[in-house]
Amino acid sequence: PLSTTIETDPPGAMVMQVLKGAIDVEAHGNRQRMEPGHLMFLRDSEPHGVLAHEDTVLLLSIFLHRK
């Protein structure tokens, strides 16, 4: 079964990498399927949604603003 879509507004730019599983990501006005090895860059505070199709492991790198 598909999991619930998660919508978020991160506190900085981020890179998302799928390590295991499969997800759909809605961002930049598009929906894209991501599988192991795929990377996506999201601009600073880019709203996005994630829908997991199976158990999935993601590596998220968030670039926070430092003062």
Side-chain angles (χ1 to χ4, degrees), residues 1-5 21-24 33 50-56:
L2 299 179
S3 70
T4 304
T5 299
I23 60 173
D24 282 343
R33 175 94 170 194
V50 177
L51 176 66
H53 294 278
E54 56 191 82
D55 288 343
T56 301

Side-chain angles (χ1 to χ4, degrees), residues 21-57:
I23 60 173
D24 282 343
V25 178
E26 287 188 24
H28 310 293
N30 295 306
R31 177 178 246 182
Q32 181 171 332
R33 175 94 170 194
M34 293 182 64
E35 297 176 339
H38 291 173
L39 294 159
M40 180 179 287
F41 174 79
L42 297 172
R43 296 181 298 244
D44 188 27
S45 299
E46 177 74 31
H48 63 281
V50 177
L51 176 66
H53 294 278
E54 56 191 82
D55 288 343
T56 301
V57 177

Side-chain angles (χ1 to χ4, degrees), residues 9-30:
D9 186 9
M14 65 185 281
V15 174
M16 181 183 320
Q17 180 179 5
V18 177
L19 302 178
K20 177 184 173 185
I23 60 173
D24 282 343
V25 178
E26 287 188 24
H28 310 293
N30 295 306

